[in-house]
Amino acid sequence: MLRKPSPWARRLPTSSGIFHFWLAFLLGQVGLLRGHPQCLDFGPPFQPPLHLDFCSDYESFGCCDQRKDHRLAARYRDIMDYLDLGAHELCGGYIKDILCQECSPYAAHLYDAENPQTPLRNLPGLCADYCSAFHSSCHSAISLLTNDRRLRETHEKDGAHFCHLLNLPDKDYCFPNVLRNDHLNRNLGVVAKDHRGCLQLCLTEVANGLRNPVSMVHAGDGTHRFFVAEQVGVVWVYLPDGSRLEQPFLDLKNLVLTTPWVGDERGFLGLAFHPRFRRNRKFYIYYSCLGKKKVEKIRISEMKVSRADPNKADPKSERVILEIEEPASNHNGGQLLFGVDGYMYIFTGDGGQAGDPFGKFGNAQNKSSLLGKVLRIDVNRPGSDGKRYRVPWDNPFVAEPGAHPAVYAYGIRNMWRCAVDRGDPVTRQGRGRMFCGDVGQNRFEEVDIIVKGGNYGWRAKEGFECYDRKLCHNASLNDILPIYAYGHAVGKSVTGGYVYRGCESPNLNGLYIFGDFMSGRLMALQEDRKTKKWKKRDVCLGSTESCAFPGLINTYSKFIISFAEDEAGELYFLATSYPSAYVPHGSIYKFVDPSRRAPPGKCENKAMPVKTRSKRVQFRPLAKTVLDLLKEQSEKAARKFSSATSASRPDRNSSQKGPSKKPASPAAGSRKTLRGPGTKKRARVWSPGPQGKRKMRRKTQGRGVRRSAQRGRAGRGLPGPFLSGWLVGGHARGDPPRPVEAVAANRGL
């Protein structure tokens, strides 16, 4: 079947000269969906894992795997069985070409499938000369290729009309022109870029309504659950189907120290599951608390999951591993990681205030202090001195007098979010590298790779530059420099990310993706394997053309708090529109590459079943998808058109005798015009979950509209009157909130 005309196109008066303008505008809105490769299942193209025997032109990149290729070959044989020997030779090539357009990376354009609210064509869009030659030679085969009544009625009588029905407005995309267009095919399958070279990625919203979500981790137990920690001290369980359990996994609100202040850095800051969690049920937490005499501390504890409920922590199982006094309320660190060596790594801040003013050289350069450090401990064995951990024998400063033996690296200001690289899925290259974002003071933010015994320079250095010039001139030449640093024109508080090693977006493999809390910018670093240097790549969201797939969005809440990966290695980030620990404006977003995906079935994950006793709360997205926004734009344009045409009509009652009747309101008329199947029709939606499990589901038009207006979007400032005159200085690991003037003048003081 062919695309149905839009409801308002049938109803609006065609006599008005303004009609053609608005019709062109509406078609232009639909045209925004063009220009991006897409398959008939509303997903991006892929590289087939196996050779395609029939549609071999698309075996390097397209929309068919071997199974679909076999189905098309079987249909081809069925059609050819109806033709005589002469038709075999004359029409075989045409029929094969036409059938194989389902495998084209531009199948959505050829079959009018960009808009999921309209039916697909039965036959692909053919260029005029090709269509004419096909009709002239093989018109008898058309009835075998399609069951569309209009096509079958016209194919014997009028070849010109038949080809008109298969015409595509954009000549670049009709077959076979689409194969010859170098502009379209030059970068086919690579990450799309805008005119500035920004990588065009899209998002799906996977969770919302969270209070400053600071961490999202998985247990590595095969269940594919993920655990999301809020700054207030509550941890929630999310299941593979996207639902959240009604009862929290852990609730430590009574122990965790935090406040509603915007930018307060204290709270529940870190969560990590033991590598052997499936057997020992152990996990570890990092949070701020008050000790005796109301001394502020950071506490690292071990806990266990309840034997009765695998989705609940045992509240009585907490064993304190380590406590460190905090001289100030900011720069609390907060990361816990297990390295590939099985040891736990703890990342602490320098103690707070500005410029690490503690002692002669500051805490970060003092190896006897546990602040401003990367600590490495063995939590599987108790120490000989009564500690609940043992120091690994090969820690770098075990034998150094005065140094704390748990120190693994030092010279750190306030590392916020670190991650261990899983390594290339095939070569394992990069496995075990530890990436961190270290929040700067006044000028620079940096990204580091942690090495054993490394000195990262703070407070002598900030980024690549000197901070304390006296210390800097006397500093060791062996200080570890960042792999990347950026100034405060780009952002003022780095949020460390992950190296992408997932399955669903092959183009992203090896990219270190991170962001900035204050500016809301997303960035990526790409390594040159020859020079070992890292090149920055900007990550942009906002191209309607790139993200016009069902279920995808191109907006997010501005303040990027953390990054995460699920058990399969797919990448996410956590953000909020209002950075207060008590405001439920936090959301979680998953990255999606709209240019290329993995072959169907490759990324299927069979999650181990887990018993749930708590009620499941189904996820309800708040963010509007790109297709929702396009639909709203089209409807808005239609209303404007309806109002304009109503105003241009002469009043029928003006010539009547007696009092004239009051004309109907144009707005009311507009609403009446749009009411009907075009407005209430439900859309087919592609849910970009694990490959091979994308299903078509039903989605109503206005879901999430009421609350989405309350949420911040990327690039917006801090919302609400609460922040008038206030700004976050170092956010949840920088400095306490101060007046805007003070922050702008000298962040960190």
Side-chain angles (χ1 to χ4, degrees):
M1 293 182 290
L2 296 176
R3 183 190 295 274
K4 295 178 181 178
S6 60
W8 54 79
R10 292 195 299 269
R11 300 183 183 190
L12 296 177
T14 59
S15 58
S16 173
I18 202 172
F19 168 75
H20 299 288
F21 169 78
W22 283 111
L23 181 61
F25 181 87
L26 294 176
L27 292 176
Q29 297 301 307
V30 176
L32 289 172
L33 301 181
R34 297 186 175 277
H36 200 69
Q38 184 180 347
C39 300
L40 295 182
D41 64 354
F42 305 104
F46 53 87
Q47 181 177 354
L50 300 171
H51 172 69
L52 302 185
D53 296 315
F54 183 62
C55 299
S56 55
D57 288 342
Y58 303 105
E59 68 177 2
S60 60
F61 192 68
C63 295
C64 287
D65 56 9
Q66 194 176 44
R67 181 181 300 177
K68 187 170 184 180
D69 183 61
H70 289 166
R71 288 202 300 267
L72 292 173
R75 187 181 174 200
Y76 173 80
R77 290 192 295 269
D78 289 343
I79 292 174
M80 299 306 288
D81 285 345
Y82 284 93
L83 303 179
D84 58 30
L85 191 59
H88 269 242
E89 184 174 348
L90 194 61
C91 301
Y94 286 111
I95 294 172
K96 179 180 178 181
D97 281 346
I98 291 171
L99 290 176
C100 285
Q101 293 318 295
E102 290 187 33
C103 299
S104 168
Y106 299 102
H109 303 281
L110 293 165
Y111 286 89
D112 257 358
E114 298 101 327
N115 190 343
Q117 298 172 0
T118 58
L120 301 179
R121 292 172 178 253
N122 271 183
L123 294 179
L126 303 179
C127 301
D129 53 349
Y130 181 92
C131 181
S132 178
F134 164 62
H135 183 272
S136 175
S137 303
C138 304
H139 63 267
S140 60
I142 293 173
S143 60
L144 302 174
L145 283 167
T146 179
N147 57 8
D148 185 274
R149 181 176 55 82
R150 286 187 294 174
L151 292 175
R152 298 180 73 161
E153 286 176 353
T154 59
H155 80 271
E156 292 184 357
K157 301 177 183 178
D158 188 352
H161 185 51
F162 170 80
C163 290
H164 175 73
L165 293 175
L166 294 184
N167 177 61
L168 286 179
D170 191 335
K171 305 304 179 186
D172 287 335
Y173 284 102
C174 63
F175 179 82
N177 286 2
V178 70
L179 295 179
R180 306 166 186 155
N181 192 314
D182 291 338
H183 176 71
L184 288 176
N185 295 301
R186 187 180 303 119
N187 296 314
L188 187 63
V190 301
V191 181
K193 302 175 187 176
D194 68 5
H195 66 280
R196 300 167 298 170
C198 235
L199 303 181
Q200 294 280 311
L201 300 181
C202 308
L203 305 172
T204 56
E205 183 188 21
V206 298
N208 53 44
L210 293 160
R211 296 165 293 185
N212 267 15
V214 294
S215 181
M216 167 183 155
V217 298
H218 62 86
D221 61 352
T223 63
H224 289 268
R225 296 172 293 172
F226 55 83
F227 300 78
V228 177
E230 296 177 314
Q231 190 177 352
V232 291
V234 178
V235 180
W236 301 97
V237 178
Y238 286 81
L239 301 176
D241 64 0
S243 64
R244 174 180 63 82
L245 295 185
E246 188 176 49
Q247 296 298 317
F249 172 75
L250 179 65
D251 188 344
L252 293 180
K253 290 194 303 289
N254 294 333
L255 293 178
V256 171
L257 172 62
T258 191
T259 71
W261 300 348
V262 172
D264 190 347
E265 300 178 23
R266 299 165 297 182
F268 191 101
L269 303 176
L271 173 67
F273 284 81
H274 195 284
R276 297 195 294 272
F277 169 75
R278 190 184 298 181
R279 285 185 288 174
N280 61 26
R281 308 181 350 267
K282 293 180 180 179
F283 66 95
Y284 299 84
I285 55 178
Y286 184 130
Y287 63 94
S288 305
C289 63
L290 282 177
K292 295 179 180 179
K293 299 182 181 180
K294 296 187 177 180
V295 175
E296 292 188 14
K297 296 182 178 182
I298 53 175
R299 176 180 292 164
I300 292 93
S301 295
E302 176 187 276
M303 295 189 74
K304 287 188 176 183
V305 171
S306 168
R307 289 187 179 276
D309 187 346
N311 295 301
K312 297 281 286 185
D314 181 354
K316 299 179 180 179
S317 65
E318 183 176 8
R319 298 170 65 248
V320 177
I321 300 292
L322 183 65
E323 286 187 342
I324 306 171
E325 289 190 11
E326 278 284 354
S329 63
N330 57 343
H331 300 188
N332 300 303
Q335 184 73 57
L336 296 177
L337 288 177
F338 280 93
V340 293
D341 54 11
Y343 295 130
M344 187 164 76
Y345 292 77
I346 304 169
F347 298 79
T348 65
D350 65 6
Q353 297 188 32
D356 194 4
F358 306 102
K360 187 176 180 180
F361 307 112
N363 284 326
Q365 290 296 322
N366 179 3
K367 284 182 276 189
S368 66
S369 169
L370 294 180
L371 294 170
K373 304 294 186 300
V374 179
L375 309 178
R376 181 185 187 231
I377 61 175
D378 182 355
V379 294
N380 296 313
R381 300 173 182 83
S384 57
D385 51 0
K387 291 186 174 66
R388 288 174 171 168
Y389 66 88
R390 180 177 294 181
V391 173
W393 65 269
D394 61 342
N395 269 12
F397 306 112
V398 167
E400 182 175 319
H404 196 291
V407 173
Y408 185 79
Y410 65 107
I412 288 161
R413 184 178 183 271
N414 191 37
M415 286 186 166
W416 181 250
R417 292 310 171 234
C418 304
V420 176
D421 185 359
R422 296 185 179 204
D424 185 274
V426 177
T427 67
R428 311 303 290 169
Q429 183 174 354
R431 183 174 182 269
R433 293 181 299 183
M434 209 169 281
F435 291 78
C436 290
D438 198 2
V439 180
Q441 181 67 47
N442 297 323
R443 297 178 62 196
F444 298 104
E445 309 296 310
E446 66 183 70
V447 176
D448 300 295
I449 295 180
I450 303 303
V451 298
K452 181 178 179 179
N455 180 3
Y456 290 83
W458 178 251
R459 72 181 190 207
K461 295 177 182 176
E462 181 187 11
F464 293 103
E465 305 292 332
C466 288
Y467 175 80
D468 185 321
R469 296 192 177 277
K470 184 177 180 181
L471 283 179
C472 189
H473 291 314
N474 295 324
S476 167
L477 296 177
N478 295 323
D479 287 356
I480 307 298
L481 296 176
I483 62 171
Y484 178 71
Y486 62 91
H488 284 183
V490 176
K492 296 184 178 180
S493 191
V494 65
T495 300
Y498 281 78
V499 177
Y500 180 82
R501 301 298 188 186
C503 174
E504 295 178 18
S505 299
N507 281 336
L508 306 185
N509 182 41
L511 279 182
Y512 175 73
I513 299 178
F514 66 107
D516 188 275
F517 177 89
M518 290 295 291
S519 69
R521 292 183 69 159
L522 291 165
M523 295 166 275
L525 298 178
Q526 190 168 30
E527 184 181 20
D528 185 322
R529 293 185 179 180
K530 293 181 179 179
T531 64
K532 302 299 181 183
K533 301 292 184 182
W534 293 79
K535 179 183 178 182
K536 181 211 175 190
R537 308 290 302 272
D538 285 317
V539 174
C540 300
L541 302 175
S543 168
T544 303
E545 181 181 87
S546 295
C547 299
F549 293 140
L552 297 191
I553 63 175
N554 61 355
T555 57
Y556 58 92
S557 297
K558 175 183 175 181
F559 299 97
I560 301 173
I561 301 174
S562 189
F563 285 77
E565 64 177 3
D566 62 19
E567 198 165 351
E570 298 306 319
L571 188 57
Y572 304 73
F573 69 96
L574 294 64
T576 184
S577 61
Y578 195 90
S580 167
Y582 285 80
V583 177
H585 286 180
S587 299
I588 301 177
Y589 306 96
K590 179 182 178 181
F591 286 100
V592 177
D593 175 18
S595 302
R596 180 185 174 191
R597 58 171 155 156
K602 181 179 180 181
C603 302
E604 291 182 358
N605 299 304
K606 295 181 179 179
M608 292 184 60
V610 59
K611 294 181 180 179
T612 57
R613 296 189 172 187
S614 176
K615 180 182 177 182
R616 300 187 183 199
V617 179
Q618 295 301 317
F619 170 62
R620 293 184 178 275
L622 298 178
K624 292 183 181 180
T625 68
V626 169
L627 291 180
D628 287 338
L629 294 173
L630 286 173
K631 184 177 181 181
E632 287 182 3
Q633 291 175 16
S634 296
E635 291 175 345
K636 183 178 180 181
R639 287 194 294 270
K640 286 183 178 179
F641 166 66
S642 179
S643 298
T645 53
S646 297
S648 67
R649 292 190 191 119
D651 190 349
R652 295 180 180 178
N653 299 314
S654 60
S655 61
Q656 295 179 358
K657 295 181 180 181
S660 61
K661 295 181 180 180
K662 186 177 180 180
S665 166
S670 171
R671 287 193 297 270
K672 185 176 181 180
T673 300
L674 290 176
R675 190 177 297 127
T679 301
K680 294 184 179 181
K681 187 174 181 179
R682 295 174 179 240
R684 299 175 294 175
V685 174
W686 165 62
S687 179
Q691 300 295 333
K693 292 186 178 180
R694 293 184 170 91
K695 296 181 179 179
M696 309 303 290
R697 56 189 174 87
R698 311 286 286 186
K699 183 176 179 180
T700 56
Q701 171 188 346
R703 177 180 292 178
V705 173
R706 283 178 289 180
R707 292 189 60 190
S708 64
Q710 303 171 6
R711 303 180 54 209
R713 294 289 183 251
R716 293 186 182 176
L718 294 168
F722 183 85
L723 290 183
S724 59
W726 287 89
L727 197 65
V728 184
H731 73 89
R733 64 270 189 195
D735 303 301
R738 296 170 305 287
V740 170
E741 299 79 15
V743 174
N746 195 0
R747 176 181 173 271
L749 297 180

